[in-house]
Amino acid sequence: MILTITLIAGLLGGLSVSALDSGVARLPVLGYNTWNAYQCNIDQDLIITTATLMKSLGLQDVGYTHVNLDDCWAEKNRSAAGSLVPDTTRFSKGFSWLTGQLHSMGLKLTSVLQYSDSGWLTCAGYPGSFQNEAKDAKTYQDWGFDYLKYDNCAIPYDDIIKENTFGKYQRMAGAIADLAKSSGKPPIIFSLCEWGWSQVWIWGKQVGQSWRTTGDIGPNWESLANIINFNSFITTATDFSGRNDLDMLQLGNGGLTFDEAKSHFTAWALMKSPLLIGTNLSAITPDILGILKNTEVLAINQDPVEGTSISPFRWGVNPDWTSNSTHPAQYWSGPSQNGTVVMLLNTLDEPASMTFNLTESPWIRAGRQYSVRDLWAHTNNGTAIRNFTAENVPPHGVVALLLKDAGDEPAGTSPPCNGVVISQCTDKNGTFVGM
């Protein structure tokens, strides 16, 4: 399994993947999804209440503008004309009314449908979209939806579908593209919920703007660590044309410590995953709200200049490139429009001090010093020369930094070489310098 993941990561970096240039969702979507907090217990009043809370809690002000209605919204049967029908009791005023209400609040009601589904039925047993792709895409657009979460349940028999998974999702992608051309409206954002079974991170951006890479998230550290570990090997799939989707934010649903919740949010944001809140907002605590509203971390997620994910530069307790679902990579970095982003993730069950040489990150230049901004403490922490140490990082806790070039390091800084390939450090005549 380790070899398989490593080969996938290596091959992906060299692939020329034809991305779908739809002109939508260049940046990760920020919003709310109903499933984790409510599952099928949804109705129009809950959606309006949630949207109102997003405004009053200040979430809309920091960028959370979508409200995703998940599974169980429909009647169990289509209309006589073959169209999808909202539940006539729980959504009695219809979706055109609901989307109109949210748009008037400055929000976007984004679909959902447990989405719909690429098979006969959704995962909760409501009508899927197989063989109804064009009709359903038009219906979503008429209702005012601009985002489709598309699941992978109730797959037709092989002698009916005669497709691989890519082809199954391409059916709806084609319907969305055709609808955009005929209507003159922007394409519906297409989010693939395929769970990574067919290596969707390799082909996903040919049909959609995001793709789930693993199964459903759980509200515990073990689930978070597993998702972080898996995605650490496929970070190069994420850019402005599409991104790995690490699943909903499970903050405030029990099972996570405060430090684990910070790690969860930081990893998702800096890996440029969509950020969809899955918490009951009426019961949210100030601590969790503060995590969700960290504008310095959100700014990295929404960076308009650098669309790539952070990636590991050192695995920490494991040998490099070793898969470990309980102790994923601990040292990460990536470029941003304002400097180099660094994430230090303590995967241990006890506090730890974490140290790295600056040039271990491929984005840091040798012979330079860097100012240090702590994205959680919101403080400027002086200048780092050659290395940086974060003291006493809590168990399963995180440190997020923004390092900015602050000029040449002081003259005479010793040793003359402090990079990661010290064995190859020489003076100009080829004499080995060493430490």
Side-chain angles (χ1 to χ4, degrees):
M1 181 62 180
I2 295 171
L3 177 61
T4 301
I5 294 175
T6 303
L7 287 174
I8 289 169
L11 288 171
L12 187 59
L15 284 176
S16 176
V17 179
S18 177
L20 176 70
D21 184 12
S22 66
V24 297
R26 186 171 181 268
L27 299 177
V29 169
L30 273 60
Y32 187 89
N33 184 283
T34 60
W35 183 257
N36 286 25
Y38 302 105
Q39 297 191 1
C40 286
N41 299 315
I42 54 174
D43 58 27
Q44 60 200 16
D45 293 336
L46 172 67
I47 301 303
I48 296 297
T49 297
T50 298
T52 302
L53 283 167
M54 288 175 69
K55 287 179 66 73
S56 64
L57 293 171
L59 289 165
Q60 182 182 359
D61 292 338
V62 298
Y64 296 93
T65 58
H66 288 69
V67 182
N68 286 28
L69 180 66
D70 214 286
D71 206 349
C72 310
W73 56 269
E75 289 289 330
K76 284 295 183 86
N77 296 302
R78 291 175 177 266
S79 72
S83 297
L84 294 166
V85 180
D87 186 290
T88 54
T89 299
R90 291 183 287 124
F91 296 96
S92 59
K93 296 183 179 180
F95 282 158
S96 295
W97 173 86
L98 188 56
T99 55
Q101 291 293 304
L102 296 191
H103 290 161
S104 70
M105 298 167 64
L107 294 164
K108 302 176 182 179
L109 182 63
T110 64
S111 158
V112 3
L113 319 181
Q114 190 177 162
Y115 322 81
S116 190
D117 194 281
S118 58
W120 298 118
L121 303 169
T122 72
C123 294
Y126 294 81
S129 289
F130 182 68
Q131 295 183 339
N132 286 283
E133 290 85 2
K135 179 187 290 289
D136 290 355
K138 180 67 164 58
T139 298
Y140 307 147
Q141 185 184 78
D142 290 346
W143 283 338
F145 294 127
D146 64 1
Y147 181 107
L148 175 61
K149 181 179 179 181
Y150 209 53
D151 217 329
N152 196 32
C153 289
I155 300 169
Y157 294 148
D158 291 354
D159 62 351
I160 297 173
I161 194 166
K162 297 181 179 178
E163 288 279 12
N164 52 26
T165 305
F166 169 75
K168 185 157 64 79
Y169 278 84
Q170 195 175 37
R171 295 170 66 99
M172 179 57 80
I176 290 172
D178 290 343
L179 178 63
K181 290 178 182 178
S182 63
S183 68
K185 296 180 180 179
I188 295 170
I189 300 169
F190 194 30
S191 176
L192 286 56
C193 190
E194 188 271 341
W195 322 316
W197 286 4
S198 67
Q199 300 175 6
V200 63
W201 54 90
I202 293 177
W203 54 265
K205 65 180 60 177
Q206 297 184 56
V207 292
Q209 288 72 51
S210 64
W211 44 85
R212 279 274 298 281
T213 56
T214 65
D216 291 349
I217 190 173
N220 54 71
W221 175 254
E222 290 74 17
S223 177
L224 300 185
N226 180 67
I227 292 173
I228 293 170
N229 173 65
F230 188 88
N231 282 274
S232 69
F233 296 97
I234 56 173
T235 57
T236 54
T238 288
D239 56 31
F240 286 133
S241 59
R243 57 194 45 83
N244 297 323
D245 179 352
L246 280 61
D247 202 8
M248 267 78 82
L249 293 170
Q250 276 283 61
L251 309 179
N253 289 341
L256 295 178
T257 68
F258 176 68
D259 288 306
E260 289 170 345
K262 284 175 59 179
S263 296
H264 175 16
F265 181 77
T266 304
W268 266 233
L270 302 191
M271 294 174 80
K272 305 294 178 72
S273 174
L275 300 179
L276 297 175
I277 302 167
T279 302
N280 181 342
L281 293 182
S282 64
I284 197 169
T285 65
D287 284 346
I288 297 301
L289 185 61
I291 292 174
L292 292 169
K293 293 172 65 176
N294 185 330
T295 54
E296 294 195 65
V297 173
L298 287 171
I300 306 300
N301 180 263
Q302 296 291 297
D303 191 327
V305 176
E306 294 287 351
T308 56
S309 166
I310 59 170
S311 297
F313 61 82
R314 178 153 42 100
W315 253 247
V317 300
N318 305 311
D320 287 356
W321 298 98
T322 302
S323 178
N324 188 325
S325 61
T326 59
H327 292 80
Q330 293 181 279
Y331 297 84
W332 303 62
S333 69
S336 81
Q337 64 175 331
N338 293 315
T340 297
V341 182
V342 173
M343 181 176 77
L344 307 178
L345 184 69
N346 180 13
T347 65
L348 305 178
D349 298 331
E350 57 191 26
S353 294
M354 304 182 68
T355 299
F356 67 98
N357 287 341
L358 298 188
T359 54
E360 288 185 80
S361 165
W363 310 107
I364 295 294
R365 297 165 60 192
R368 307 287 286 182
Q369 56 187 323
Y370 285 80
S371 65
V372 181
R373 175 72 177 178
D374 188 315
L375 302 183
W376 279 108
H378 307 298
T379 56
N380 296 319
N381 292 2
T383 302
I385 301 173
R386 296 289 180 94
N387 56 65
F388 179 87
T389 298
E391 303 284 358
N392 296 316
V393 182
H396 304 165
V398 72
V399 173
L401 308 171
L402 183 63
L403 303 184
K404 295 184 181 182
D405 192 309
D408 287 336
E409 65 183 24
T413 302
S414 184
C417 291
N418 194 42
V420 293
V421 194
I422 297 174
S423 63
Q424 294 300 315
C425 187
T426 68
D427 63 19
K428 64 183 179 181
N429 65 9
T431 302
F432 172 68
V433 175
M435 296 295 289

